[in-house]
Structure formats: C-alpha cells, structure tokens
Amino acid sequence: MSFAARLPISLTIRQFHPATHRVSAFSRQLNPRPLHTMAPIPKMMKAVQIETTGGTEVLQHKDIPVPTPKDNELLIRNEFIGVNYIDTYFRTGLYPSPKPMILGREASGTIAALGAQVPGSLGFANGDRVVYMGPSAYAEYTACPAEKVMKIPQGITSSDACAAFLQGLTALTLVEETHKVQSGDWVLVLAATGGVGGWLCQILRAKGAKTIGTVGSEGKVDIAKQQGADVVVIDRPGQGDVLKTVKECTGGQGVAAVFDGVGKDTFERSLECVARKGTVASFGNASGAVEPFLISKLSAKNAKVARPTLFNYLFTREELEHYSAKLFKMMMDEKFSVRIHDTYPLADVARAHTDIESRKTMGKLLLKP
C-alpha cells in the first residue's frame, strides 16, 4: 500500500523478550572525518512545516531541500516519527518558536551520512539503526547532533524505539529525578492510558509502587490495569471521585506523588491529593497552562511542586546514555508493552494532531514518511 494512502486505525501491542544487548558507554574524544554517505541522497524531501501559528490548517506538507549535516551532525533517514503533545504547543504558539519551523521532536531511522568531526568513539556508521530526540523530525531526512542520537539495541524494532523514546524517558526521569518513587509508595497518575501515563504505570509497577490511574472512559479501565495501575478511576463528572479514591486507598494520607500531564483543569485537585511532604509533578498542559497560584498554599503540607522538562534531565551525553540504557534494559527485561495507537502517513499529519488533541487516544501516535 502506498504510504500516501490513509492507513486504518489500529492498536498495536508488542512484547519484548529478554536480550543481552546493553548500550555501551562512550567517551568524548573527537576523530575528525569527512562526510560519509551510504546511498544516494535526494536533493529534495517531503516535510511538514509551519509559517504561522494556529490550528491544523497551518500544517504544510511540502517539498524542501534535504539538509546537509554540519560538523558533529548525522543525517538520518527517518523511518518512524513520533507525535507528541508538545508538537501542538509549538503549532498553536503556546511555546513560541522561530518561523518557518519543521515540527517534530523525535524519530527513528538509519544513518544516511556522517558530517565532519563526528566523535569516532560514539561508534556510528552509515546504515546504523538509531533513535533520537531533536528538532525538525517531521521530515524524510533530519540532520541531528550526534550527541543526541542513540543506537537501537537488537531486540527492539525501529517503530517501538520511536514509540518509547521520548515518552518512556519522560516517565523514567519523572520517577527517578522529579520524585524518587520508592517501593510501596502510593502514586497518582493522570491520563493513565495516554503516552506518558502508560509508561508511568509500567515503570511504577516495576519499581513496586502502588498506582492510582485516572482515565476518561469505561473502555480505558482494563487497559490502564493491564499497563500496571492498581486502582483506576473514571475521571468524569458523576462517574468517579479521584480525591475520594485517593483518601480511601491511602488512609486519608494522600499520595507520595502526583504525575499530572493535564494541567489547568486538574492542578488544584492534584494539590489536594498529595500527601504531606509529597510532590506534584506538573509536566504537561493538555487542558491549558496552569494558572499562577500563591506559593504559600504549599505550606499546609510542606508539599513540593515541580514543572520539569525532559531535556534538562538529559542535558549531557552521559545523562542521555544512562537513562536510554536503563529504558532499553527495562523494556527487554520487564517485557514492557509498547502501545501504538496508530501510524499515519506524513501527509496526514493534520489527522494525527486532531486525534492527539482529542485526548481520546491510547498509546503512541507515529508518522511514516
């Protein structure tokens, strides 16, 4: 079937099997080299670009020149491209950015060319399967700093690596850095069947935590439980009381941490749900940005509020290697499920954005160039 054809909506779950492959550590010694290519690279490519902010109508699927990798960059032929809620923030203008802009923050594919000065000790070669987080991913080719690229281990497919990378690393750093979750902790995860929410539930189960997950409909309850939620609440008027459930599960103490990717509509309730000395991690704005609040409200419980971003946890190459290796190992050792909601042709990006903004999807949305 042509990639330009509309793909049917599908829900795909893959299970990983144990593998011995480990992501190796790398040094930073430079090995200057000229541009190396694998196969003929076209002069033009398809990409999704915006010139102004707005709704899905501003998404332009157009021909633009293939980028030439600069020093320390890799040219990657994208095979799968991740769709993330942050992409809609740049499209709508919630997050300002220079224009024109190629959207997208992550993809997987193969190395098509190496720019000069790529560190030889990173071990990259033409044809390597890789996954990365970086700008301009909504395209057939992307030039990305080599320091932001990771090889995909054997035993993990390119589609699963892309589906897992940004959201899995977000979830992993939330429970390791934003609030260090301990075995036995009660934790509240909002939107438990969403992209990050599903990863949080699986990782929290692996850590021995007890998870209360919220979902938006009855049809998502069983999926949230399969992902690792111990208790699931339908978070709709007249169908579930999140605060009441939290108090019942914790003996009135509240949860050690709330992982809230919803934002404006749930922030005040998240403060009510958190325990004394607990943490509210507000990491997304699906319902809008959290409004200003009096910091003195935190003193009632000595609670902490964090507004983390993934890239500040993966600022150095060492941090990226550490958490990538940990995520890949957990995916294989724990047999994590990678839930893919749908794979869309790149030309059908508007439908993908509409679907993710509907908050009715379950799992990762991918684009196929």
Side-chain angles (χ1 to χ4, degrees):
M1 179 185 293
S2 168
F3 289 138
R6 183 185 179 94
L7 298 179
I9 293 179
S10 63
L11 191 64
T12 304
I13 300 177
R14 296 181 178 87
Q15 292 286 350
F16 286 106
H17 298 283
T20 58
H21 185 92
R22 298 292 300 272
V23 177
S24 61
F26 303 111
S27 68
R28 290 176 170 270
Q29 295 178 350
L30 294 180
N31 181 21
R33 65 175 109 184
L35 176 67
H36 295 290
T37 62
M38 174 184 168
I41 299 171
K43 293 183 178 180
M44 302 296 289
M45 67 177 184
K46 293 292 185 181
V48 174
Q49 192 176 75
I50 61 171
E51 296 178 354
T52 185
T53 58
T56 56
E57 72 279 357
V58 304
L59 297 166
Q60 301 177 41
H61 183 248
K62 59 192 297 186
D63 290 304
I64 64 172
V66 172
T68 299
K70 301 175 183 176
D71 288 357
N72 300 306
E73 286 187 341
L74 303 172
L75 182 65
I76 299 169
R77 182 181 291 106
N78 295 324
E79 185 178 359
F80 294 96
I81 302 162
V83 179
N84 296 286
Y85 219 97
I86 192 174
D87 301 341
T88 70
Y89 299 162
F90 285 110
R91 192 203 74 223
T92 61
L94 180 63
Y95 288 0
S97 62
K99 304 294 185 299
M101 176 191 186
I102 300 174
L103 291 177
R105 307 292 290 182
E106 69 175 333
S108 64
T110 56
I111 296 177
L114 288 79
Q117 303 293 329
V118 171
S121 54
L122 294 181
F124 290 125
N126 289 316
D128 282 347
R129 293 191 315 129
V130 294
V131 63
Y132 67 91
M133 289 183 292
S136 305
Y138 282 16
E140 292 181 296
Y141 291 85
T142 301
C144 183
E147 291 279 305
K148 303 300 182 183
V149 179
M150 294 297 301
K151 289 184 181 181
I152 301 173
Q154 293 178 353
I156 297 179
T157 66
S158 295
S159 58
D160 289 336
C162 182
F165 206 52
L166 191 149
Q167 293 177 341
L169 288 173
T170 297
L172 185 57
T173 54
L174 283 171
V175 304
E176 293 286 343
E177 299 264 6
T178 310
H179 182 92
K180 183 71 172 179
V181 176
Q182 305 295 328
S183 178
D185 282 348
W186 275 102
V187 176
L188 175 63
V189 174
L190 305 190
T193 59
V196 176
W199 283 103
L200 279 167
C201 289
Q202 292 191 90
I203 293 171
L204 288 166
R205 177 173 58 187
K207 290 176 70 70
K210 294 175 285 187
T211 302
I212 303 168
T214 72
V215 296
S217 66
E218 182 70 37
K220 295 182 178 182
V221 172
D222 287 343
I223 294 173
K225 290 181 178 179
Q226 292 169 12
Q227 295 286 80
D230 297 281
V231 178
V232 180
V233 185
I234 300 174
D235 192 8
R236 296 177 67 87
Q239 289 189 274
D241 189 325
V242 176
L243 180 58
K244 180 182 177 181
T245 301
V246 166
K247 289 182 176 180
E248 290 175 348
C249 290
T250 64
Q253 299 300 306
V255 291
V258 181
F259 295 110
D260 184 345
V262 178
K264 179 181 178 180
D265 290 352
T266 55
F267 180 72
E268 290 293 333
R269 187 186 65 194
S270 293
L271 290 176
E272 293 183 80
C273 289
V274 75
R276 184 179 65 88
K277 299 195 292 184
T279 302
V280 174
S282 178
F283 65 92
N285 305 308
S287 66
V290 173
E291 295 178 348
F293 68 98
L294 291 174
I295 197 170
S296 59
K297 295 181 69 171
L298 305 179
S299 63
K301 299 178 181 178
N302 283 5
K304 297 178 287 293
V305 171
R307 182 56 175 91
T309 60
L310 173 61
F311 299 102
N312 278 330
Y313 289 138
L314 306 179
F315 188 78
T316 69
R317 178 67 185 182
E318 291 76 16
E319 289 170 331
L320 176 61
E321 288 178 2
H322 169 75
Y323 280 113
S324 297
K326 191 164 188 174
L327 176 64
F328 292 148
K329 187 176 188 300
M330 292 182 79
M331 288 170 68
M332 293 186 285
D333 290 354
E334 301 291 340
K335 300 182 177 67
F336 281 172
S337 297
V338 178
R339 186 173 292 276
I340 297 175
H341 172 76
D342 197 2
T343 301
Y344 307 73
L346 184 60
D348 207 4
V349 62
R351 181 167 66 94
H353 273 225
T354 298
D355 288 351
I356 199 170
E357 288 180 301
S358 73
R359 295 168 64 181
K360 296 178 181 179
T361 61
M362 291 183 286
K364 187 71 174 184
L365 282 66
L366 297 177
L367 300 172
K368 183 77 172 174

